[in-house]
Amino acid sequence: MTKVAIFGAGQIGRAVYQIILDLSSDILNQPGNAFGDIDAFVMDSDVNNLSKLENFEKHYITDFASKTQNEIAIALTTYGATHVINALPFSFNQKVASAAAIARCSYIDFTEDDIMADKVQEIYKGTNLNCA
């Protein structure tokens, strides 16, 4: 099973979650599909943002600023994540990417900051995991 952890329940994070739900129900669950089973959950520090999502009880409240990358990695492993989509502000990218790599999750974020993107690529260098 592919399990996607989406970091951030703002407008982008909620949109990504909805797209994954739509894909899961419309495409991936068709007989004979080549993609397998997919699920997703969202992690955010703001319960108000999380409450706007379907299936509120399957999401997690996490204060990213106070957590170490190892604590975040443990959470990803505990929740069974295989992939991470980071929709948090770019200042969290290095910490979340490091945690995702430790947890052996593929990773993508939405940064357009070249310096941060280079740092994230360096984290994933030699891991054999996908990173963008």
Side-chain angles (χ1 to χ4, degrees):
M1 171 187 266
T2 298
K3 194 160 189 183
V4 181
I6 302 163
F7 281 69
Q11 290 180 347
I12 294 171
R14 290 193 312 268
V16 168
Y17 178 70
Q18 190 59 54
I19 289 168
I20 292 172
L21 286 184
D22 292 346
L23 287 172
S24 291
S25 63
D26 295 342
I27 297 170
L28 299 178
N29 291 326
Q30 292 181 10
N33 80 72
F35 300 103
D37 199 12
I38 187 169
D39 193 14
F41 62 90
V42 181
M43 299 173 73
D44 197 289
S45 59
D46 186 342
V47 70
N48 292 322
N49 281 343
L50 289 172
S51 68
K52 297 174 185 175
L53 295 165
E54 288 183 34
N55 304 317
F56 173 74
E57 67 283 349
K58 75 182 279 185
H59 307 293
Y60 303 97
I61 300 168
T62 303
D63 180 10
F64 305 108
S66 68
K67 300 289 184 198
T68 67
Q69 65 190 28
N70 288 332
E71 290 171 321
I72 296 169
I74 290 168
L76 289 169
T77 302
T78 301
Y79 304 147
T82 58
H83 296 74
V84 169
I85 300 175
N86 185 1
L88 293 172
F90 84 96
S91 59
F92 288 102
N93 287 5
Q94 191 169 3
K95 182 189 273 189
V96 174
S98 294
I102 292 167
R104 306 290 303 151
C105 296
S106 293
Y107 175 87
I108 189 169
D109 62 47
F110 298 99
T111 192
E112 294 183 7
D113 181 276
D114 291 336
I115 294 170
M116 183 58 72
D118 289 345
K119 289 178 181 179
V120 169
Q121 290 296 320
E122 188 62 30
I123 292 165
Y124 271 79
K125 190 175 181 179
T127 65
N128 296 322
L129 295 165
N130 294 314
C131 174

